[in-house]
């Protein structure tokens, strides 16, 4: 029996003065090994690959090492270089190959390419400082050895979360923040006591993966939000007080550790639908030069499909790209202990290479079933810029939750007093069973405002967007805001207008924090933050976008309202359901949900009605939890007949947005003098709770 001859082993050698040997193909990226660093990079069409080495901060490389052909395994080039100190170097790749854009090949050896798996990126350490465009986005190797001191992801039940969406830089950049290192991870950590006092237990951080704030914007404006990722494994260096020292990785880890110690989970907003390379007119600094046809969705003539609205779309369901996304998420969970991810324009993640929606997207299924991510929260923005809107139909595999855009729109339209909105508002209050019946209310991340759109203050101060400062002639930003200025556009001096705006904000907050599902607050809404009518402040690193800490005193009453509403939600499990209610009593005193109107037990679902009342009830171990909510979007007051309680119970008022502030703490709510009827003012939300009668 003859056997095929074995290939000769690839010998160790010496390149550019360094001892080298064939490296390990996996893991991809740069990895410390005894005596040196292992470099591994993937490219299907490369004719040659060279590793370019720099001393940190140097303009010119000190070595350029071409991978011997025998150091290639399949389409992976791997080489171990000895005598390197990982903390002292930066690196990149030059890849030569065919230049044939119509076929999708854009190899260019003149471009220095960043490693997609780089765990740190050099050149962006100081916010807003122009970098050297010849050698930007240098790949670095993150330091090892952070002491987690036993920290682990918290694993809080989804139904117990109150999410707080914030921007790391914007949260403490304002001079009023009073922190030592404004606009940084360390600055946010200094303000953790505020988050604890507010009562939130999860922060959703807008993009903290490395991006270039100077890219593609006129002078004075920035890519402030950061939805154009440069380094998917690398923290944003300029968000760290220690970024100039290369310690941004440890500073972000320290922030996560401190948040966990305070009982607060961390969700990262991640952007896998596109990259910062743009379309064919954009820069080539990584994926395009590594393997353009693999990493991007391309049209038959080699152009870029644009389902993200930014020029390109990542080819997420290609097996190699799928593996990249999975590796990235595993890295953030295992190395940074993050508790979850919110996926920007997640509908893209379910598209095939030609852009068509897949019935069973491999990436979404893989992330849902991955063992490392098993207890990680996965939240989808279930739409994209190509018109694919999947709220309620996102491929979930019993794991994914969604930003519920239909909740946002329903609350806004209801509070405006639009006709025909009561029935949908009822569905949204009980966790949107019309959308998530199989998955339960925890699939619905409820929100009224987010970074994208009006703030809560502006929602009731502007009918129209005012985006002229963005430099796009007012053409950017959504036109369908369902906002209402309460009778005057913009800043107002009329006290009646101001009182109505404040009441509408409280109405929205109270509905949000008493709805089934997972509530999400936008940072600053609790103190009346305004963007002056700008509903797309993505490019403003200024007071337009920053959290103004003077609002804590100036809007103390609104802040107190939010704190008490969050505490009320936490005190009542009947508002935090894991599964949908049924409308049945199941032997209890009342059904788990019942609907009411001007008359108890008699809801009005007609299109002209603008009043909705609901009673939530649960009994566990003999203790009853009963909350009654009435929302009047009418411009007239009404008198409501209340459901009758047993003799030992009485209705107590938690909040009346027209007249009474919320009770100071759960259990301190005043008892109603009239237990049969209650008045509800115009454009008002009323919340009552059943408690033991006073003196019993």
């Amino acid at each position: 029996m003859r056997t095929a001859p074995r290939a000769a082993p690839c010998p160790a050698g010496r390149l550019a003065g360094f001892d080298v040997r064939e490296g390990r193909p996996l893991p991809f990226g740069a990895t410390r090994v005894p005596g040196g660093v292992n470099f591994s990079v993937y490219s299907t069409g490369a004719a040659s690959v060279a590793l370019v080495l720099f001393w940190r901060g140097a303009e010119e490389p000190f070595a350029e090492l071409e991978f011997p052909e025998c150091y290639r395994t399949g389409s992976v080039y791997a080489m171990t270089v000895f005598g390197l100190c990982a903390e002292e170097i930066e690196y990149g790749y030059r890849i030569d190959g065919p230049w044939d854009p119509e076929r999708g090949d854009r190899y260019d050896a003149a471009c220095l390419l960043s490693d997609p798996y780089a765990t740190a990126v050099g050149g962006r350490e100081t916010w807003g400082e122009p970098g050297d465009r010849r050698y930007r986005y240098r790949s670095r190797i993150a330091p090892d050895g952070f002491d987690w001191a036993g920290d682990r992801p918290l694993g809080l039940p989804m139904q117990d979360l109150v999410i707080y969406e914030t921007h790391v830089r914007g949260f403490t950049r304002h001079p009023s923040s009073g922190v030592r290192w404004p606009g940084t991870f360390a600055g946010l950590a200094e303000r953790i006591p505020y988050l604890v006092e507010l009562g939130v237990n999860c922060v959703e951080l807008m993009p903290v993966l490395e991006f270039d704030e100077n890219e593609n914007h006129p002078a004075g404006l920035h890519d402030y939000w950061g939805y154009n990722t440069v380094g998917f494994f690398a923290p944003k260096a300029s968000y760290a007080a220690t970024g100039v020292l290369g310690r941004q990785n440890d500073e972000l880890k320290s922030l996560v550790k401190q948040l966990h110690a305070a009982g607060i989970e961390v969700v990262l907003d991640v952007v896998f639908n596109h990259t910062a390379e743009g379309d064919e007119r954009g820069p080539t600094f990584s994926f395009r030069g590594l393997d353009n046809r693999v990493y991007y969705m391309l049209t038959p003539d080699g152009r870029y499909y644009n389902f993200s609205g930014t020029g390109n779309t990542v080819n997420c369901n290609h097996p190699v790209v799928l593996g990249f996304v999975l590796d990235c998420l595993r890295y953030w969970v295992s190395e940074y202990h993050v508790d979850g991810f919110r996926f920007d324009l997640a509908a893209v993640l379910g598209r095939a290479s030609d852009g068509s929606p897949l019935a069973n997207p491999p990436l979404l299924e893989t992330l849902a079933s991955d063992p490392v991510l098993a207890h990680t929260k996965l939240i989808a923005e279930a739409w994209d810029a190509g018109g694919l809107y999947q709220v309620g139909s996102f491929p979930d595999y019993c794991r994914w939750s969604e930003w519920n855009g239909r909740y946002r729109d329903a609350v806004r339209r209801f509070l405006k007093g639009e006709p025909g909105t009561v029935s949908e508002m009822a569905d949204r209050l009980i966790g949107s069973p019309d959308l998530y019946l199989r998955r339960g209310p925890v699939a619905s991340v409820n929100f009224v405002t987010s970074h994208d759109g009006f703030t809560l203050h502006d929602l009731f101060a502007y009918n129209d967007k005012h985006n002229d400062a963005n430099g796009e002639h007012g053409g950017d930003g959504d036109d369908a805001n369902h906002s209402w200025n309460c009778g005057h556009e913009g800043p107002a001096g009329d006290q009646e207008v101001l009182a109505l705006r404040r009441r509408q904000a409280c109405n929205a907050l109270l509905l949000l924090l008493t709805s089934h599902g997972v509530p999400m607050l936008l940072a600053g809404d609790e103190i009346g933050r305004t963007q002056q009518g700008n509903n797309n402040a993505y490019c403003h690193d200024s007071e337009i976008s920053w959290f103004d800490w003077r609002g804590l005193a100036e809007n103390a009453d609104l802040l107190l309202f939010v704190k008490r509403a969050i505490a009320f939600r936490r005190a009542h499990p009947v508002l935090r359901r894991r599964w949908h209610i049924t409308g049945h009593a199941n032997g209890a005193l009342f059904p788990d949900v019942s609907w009411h109107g001007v008359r108890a037990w008699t809801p009005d679902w007609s299109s002209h009605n603008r009043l909705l009342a609901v009673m939530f009830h649960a009994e566990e171990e003999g203790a009853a939890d009963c909350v009654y909510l009435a929302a009047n979007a009418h411009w007239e007051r009404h008198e409501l007949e209340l459901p009758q309680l047993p003799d030992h119970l009485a209705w107590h008022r938690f909040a009346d947005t027209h007249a009474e502030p919320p009770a100071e703490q759960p259990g301190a709510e005043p008892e109603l003098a009239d237990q049969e009827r209650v008045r509800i003012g115009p454009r008002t939300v009323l919340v009552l709770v059943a408690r033991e009668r006073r003196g019993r």
Side-chain angles (χ1 to χ4, degrees):
M1 178 179 176
R2 298 181 62 186
T3 59
R6 297 182 62 183
C10 196
R14 195 166 177 83
L15 292 175
F18 287 90
D19 290 329
V20 299
R21 72 178 180 200
E22 182 180 9
R24 294 180 177 177
L26 296 175
F28 293 136
T31 310
R32 290 176 175 82
V33 296
V37 179
N38 186 79
F39 297 91
S40 176
V41 64
Y42 164 87
S43 180
T44 56
S48 66
V49 177
L51 171 68
V52 185
L53 296 171
F54 299 81
W55 299 120
R56 282 206 175 192
E59 291 189 8
E60 301 297 330
F62 66 81
E64 189 161 328
L65 291 68
E66 185 169 333
F67 286 75
E69 178 62 21
C70 61
Y71 284 12
R72 178 173 63 85
T73 302
S75 296
V76 179
Y77 295 78
M79 176 167 55
T80 298
V81 182
F82 295 97
L84 295 178
C85 178
E87 284 74 21
E88 296 177 357
I89 65 165
E90 298 174 332
Y91 70 98
Y93 295 104
R94 293 194 192 280
I95 298 186
D96 199 6
W99 176 265
D100 190 350
E102 290 188 1
R103 295 187 66 252
D105 290 324
R106 291 178 176 269
Y107 297 100
D108 184 354
C111 294
L112 181 68
L113 304 178
S114 179
D115 182 358
Y117 280 80
T119 51
V121 174
R124 302 288 342 123
E125 292 84 358
T126 303
W127 176 273
E129 182 177 283
D132 188 334
R133 296 182 67 87
R134 294 175 302 163
Y135 299 113
R136 58 184 175 179
Y137 314 147
R138 300 258 188 90
S139 300
R140 292 181 176 175
I141 304 168
D144 270 344
F146 182 80
D147 183 6
W148 282 101
D151 174 83
R152 304 292 297 168
L154 295 182
L156 299 179
M158 194 76 181
Q159 65 269 23
D160 291 344
L161 294 189
V162 177
I163 300 175
Y164 189 78
E165 187 196 25
T166 192
H167 187 284
V168 168
R169 179 172 172 83
F171 194 57
T172 61
R173 182 63 186 84
H174 196 280
S176 63
S177 68
V179 300
R180 183 181 181 188
W181 302 106
T184 66
F185 298 129
L188 196 157
E190 287 186 64
R191 280 299 190 170
I192 289 175
Y194 170 77
L195 300 175
V196 173
E197 184 181 355
L198 183 60
V200 299
N201 58 5
C202 178
V203 292
E204 182 176 301
L205 301 179
M206 290 174 65
V208 299
L209 280 60
E210 189 62 69
F211 63 92
D212 188 344
E213 67 277 6
N214 294 328
E215 192 62 38
N216 297 327
H217 290 289
L221 299 179
H222 297 86
D223 179 13
Y224 171 74
W225 283 354
Y227 288 93
N228 273 304
T229 310
V230 166
F232 287 84
F233 287 74
K236 176 69 175 156
S238 64
Y239 280 0
T242 55
V244 292
L245 304 175
R247 308 299 296 184
Q248 61 266 29
N249 305 75
D250 284 358
E251 191 170 320
L252 177 53
K253 291 176 180 179
S254 180
L255 172 61
V256 174
K257 181 179 174 180
Q258 292 179 69
L259 285 165
H260 283 175
I264 299 173
E265 291 195 333
V266 179
V267 169
L268 298 186
D269 194 338
V270 291
V271 188
F272 291 108
N273 59 81
H274 71 280
T275 77
E277 290 186 304
D279 60 17
E280 57 273 5
R281 298 165 296 177
T284 295
F285 61 81
S286 187
F287 296 106
R288 177 174 292 143
L290 286 165
D291 222 321
N292 190 56
R293 280 194 286 171
V294 166
Y295 285 106
Y296 293 115
M297 293 184 189
L298 302 178
T299 65
D301 62 354
R303 295 181 179 272
Y304 294 86
Y305 282 117
N306 186 18
F307 300 112
S308 65
T310 62
N312 66 56
T313 307
V314 173
N315 192 14
C316 292
N317 287 293
H318 186 287
V320 169
V321 187
L322 185 157
F324 170 80
V325 175
L326 181 60
D327 287 344
C328 184
L329 298 178
R330 285 173 167 176
Y331 175 79
W332 288 102
V333 169
S334 60
E335 295 296 320
Y336 285 81
H337 292 197
V338 302
D339 303 271
F341 302 96
R342 177 265 187 188
F343 294 79
D344 180 65
L345 298 183
V348 166
L349 310 186
R351 290 184 183 268
S353 294
D354 63 358
S356 59
L358 293 165
N360 188 37
L363 175 61
L364 300 180
E365 183 177 20
T366 299
L367 299 185
S369 58
D370 182 70
V372 175
L373 306 178
H375 301 291
T376 301
K377 295 171 174 69
L378 305 176
I379 302 170
E381 184 183 37
W383 55 84
D384 66 23
L388 185 57
Y389 191 81
Q390 294 182 308
V391 172
S393 61
F394 188 79
D396 62 277
Y397 303 99
C398 299
R399 280 279 280 115
W400 288 82
S401 299
E402 301 172 16
W403 267 25
N404 190 346
R406 290 181 61 180
Y407 180 96
R408 172 199 60 204
D409 296 344
V411 171
R412 292 182 177 195
R413 293 178 61 234
F414 174 79
L415 290 177
K416 280 181 67 178
E418 290 187 15
T421 58
V422 167
S423 180
E424 184 179 4
M425 190 66 242
D427 278 335
R428 304 298 158 246
L429 279 172
I430 58 174
S432 299
D434 58 327
L435 304 176
Y436 307 115
L437 183 61
R438 174 177 51 83
R439 287 185 266 173
V442 294
S444 178
V445 175
N446 300 328
F447 65 105
V448 181
T449 58
S450 69
H451 71 274
D452 192 0
F454 282 139
T455 66
L456 188 63
H457 171 278
D458 292 358
L459 184 65
F460 301 111
Y462 296 90
N463 283 349
D464 304 304
K465 64 186 182 183
H466 296 264
N467 296 358
D468 289 342
N470 296 359
E472 300 182 40
H473 309 291
D476 63 304
D478 200 345
D479 293 317
N481 294 290
H482 305 296
S483 61
W484 178 46
N485 65 17
C486 296
H488 182 89
E489 187 75 0
D494 188 312
Q495 293 304 308
E496 289 189 8
V497 170
L498 294 175
L500 177 55
R501 288 177 177 178
R502 178 57 56 91
R503 188 160 74 250
Q504 287 285 71
C506 290
N507 290 341
L509 290 163
L510 202 50
L511 288 173
L512 176 67
L513 290 165
T514 53
S515 295
H516 293 172
V518 182
M520 185 184 78
L521 298 165
L522 173 64
D525 278 353
E526 73 274 19
I527 57 169
R529 187 177 75 85
T530 178
Q531 292 179 170
Q532 303 167 27
N534 194 317
N535 76 344
N536 189 35
Y538 73 101
C539 55
H540 292 285
D541 177 38
S542 67
E543 294 196 19
I544 290 177
S545 297
W546 297 340
F547 189 110
D548 187 342
W549 291 86
R550 294 172 298 184
L552 273 67
E554 295 170 359
N555 292 291
D557 57 338
L558 180 61
L559 177 60
L560 184 60
F561 182 96
V562 177
K563 290 179 181 178
R564 292 178 176 177
I566 292 174
F568 185 80
R569 179 180 182 85
R570 186 168 59 244
H572 290 279
V574 76
L575 303 177
R576 297 180 280 109
R577 296 278 194 169
R578 175 66 183 85
W579 300 107
H580 286 297
I581 49 185
T582 65
H584 301 300
N586 296 322
L589 178 64
F590 296 118
D592 54 10
V593 62
S594 54
W595 301 101
H596 308 268
V598 172
R599 295 182 58 193
W601 308 100
T602 310
D604 182 354
W605 304 114
S606 63
S607 62
H608 64 270
N609 178 49
R610 292 173 173 83
L611 173 73
L612 177 66
V614 61
M615 183 170 66
F616 297 121
H617 180 81
E619 292 182 14
E620 293 184 10
E621 300 179 357
D625 188 12
C626 190
V627 173
Y628 173 91
L629 178 143
N632 180 24
H634 199 200
W635 43 91
E636 296 180 357
R637 70 174 63 243
H638 294 281
E639 187 174 83
L640 308 180
E641 180 186 30
L642 294 172
Q644 185 176 354
L645 295 172
D647 290 342
H648 68 286
L649 295 176
W651 288 115
H652 294 66
R653 181 189 293 110
F654 166 67
D656 178 345
T657 61
H658 194 273
E660 303 291 338
E664 291 187 15
Q665 58 187 10
E669 302 91 348
E671 186 174 311
L672 297 184
D674 186 344
Q675 289 290 310
E676 295 184 357
R677 296 183 179 277
V678 66
R679 284 190 173 184
I680 185 169
R683 301 192 186 277
T684 295
V685 175
L686 171 72
V687 177
L688 309 177
V689 58
R691 295 200 182 280
E692 292 286 336
R693 288 187 178 274
R694 303 298 188 198
R696 291 184 64 91

